[in-house]
Amino acid sequence: MPLSAFPLRASIAVSDITRAVEFYEGKLGLPVLQSGPSARIADGSRVYGAAGEPALNVYQSVTAGKTRATLVTWYVDDLDRIVDELAASGVEMVRYDEYDHDPKGITARAGGGRIAWFQDPDGNTFALEADV
């Protein structure tokens, strides 16, 4: 059976689950669907929902923040509004020297549309994309 028949969930390693909870729940507003252990940490993981479905595993691990690649992308209908809301909650957009960003930190996306990046406290990178 192909993997396309099964649900998919992104997993993000964080160095401190308490600090991560403040970011993912407090700043991003993601709802907790489940919490539980991570390795030897009794309450070291969370499953967060997006669009009504389980979407993101966040767990405490020594491997946190080890990649510079974008780990998760949200496809949004109003990029400016979402960036404004995140900025109001204290989330800063990441600016890369190789791209021209507008004052909000939004840049043109390859192939059309627009994109903005932000990071969690461990430096895990996330993107927001919109077709317009």
Side-chain angles (χ1 to χ4, degrees):
M1 179 169 284
L3 288 178
S4 62
F6 301 96
L8 179 67
R9 187 180 308 156
S11 292
I12 306 296
V14 298
S15 63
D16 180 333
I17 193 67
T18 302
R19 183 175 66 172
V21 163
E22 292 171 8
F23 180 79
Y24 289 92
E25 295 170 35
K27 294 186 183 227
L28 301 186
L30 296 177
V32 179
L33 302 180
Q34 179 182 351
S35 65
S38 174
R40 296 184 179 126
I41 303 158
D43 196 31
S45 72
R46 302 287 186 281
V47 175
Y48 291 107
E53 299 290 328
L56 187 61
N57 258 357
V58 175
Y59 64 98
Q60 188 165 316
S61 172
V62 296
T63 63
K66 301 292 186 196
T67 181
R68 293 188 58 206
T70 301
L71 297 174
V72 174
T73 301
W74 279 270
Y75 296 91
V76 301
D77 58 357
D78 187 341
L79 184 58
D80 289 284
R81 180 179 56 81
I82 299 297
V83 167
D84 288 344
E85 288 174 3
L86 288 174
S89 71
V91 176
E92 293 182 29
M93 295 301 116
V94 175
R95 289 169 168 79
Y96 296 103
D97 292 339
E98 61 267 30
Y99 300 109
D100 293 323
H101 297 273
D102 72 12
K104 294 182 181 185
I106 300 170
T107 188
R109 179 180 69 193
R114 301 179 324 145
I115 186 169
W117 293 273
F118 64 94
Q119 295 177 331
D120 75 1
D122 286 296
N124 293 310
T125 302
F126 303 97
L128 304 165
E129 291 191 24
D131 290 332
V132 292

